[in-house]
Amino acid sequence: MKTFVLLLLWCLLWVLCWPLALLALVLWPLLWLLALPFRLVGITFHALFAFLRALLMLPARLLGGARRATVIA
């Protein structure tokens, strides 16, 4: 559904201002490539903090601490 809405918005932009629509079509892959390293850094930090949390909570889990529901984001 999100892709369909984006396609409709791009078609509307094409009708209203076709040079801007073409520019957006050309620049979108370049912006995606520029954002890729930041995504990788975010994934790495998320994994690092999850590991540190698991490491710090290990003694409590071994001693039978109360379990709580884990939410995977």
Side-chain angles (χ1 to χ4, degrees):
M1 187 68 183
K2 182 180 174 184
T3 306
F4 182 68
V5 171
L6 285 174
L7 179 66
L8 285 177
L9 288 174
W10 186 82
C11 288
L12 181 66
L13 184 63
W14 179 265
V15 170
L16 295 177
C17 183
W18 64 267
L20 188 60
L22 283 178
L23 185 66
L25 195 63
V26 169
L27 289 181
W28 184 256
L30 296 174
L31 291 174
W32 185 83
L33 283 174
L34 285 174
L36 194 59
F38 296 108
R39 283 186 184 180
L40 293 174
V41 168
I43 291 169
T44 303
F45 273 101
H46 181 76
L48 176 68
F49 288 137
F51 173 73
L52 288 175
R53 182 178 182 275
L55 194 64
L56 290 174
M57 296 297 166
L58 183 62
R61 291 186 63 170
L62 290 175
L63 294 174
R67 297 199 186 274
R68 49 174 237 219
T70 57
V71 177
I72 299 174

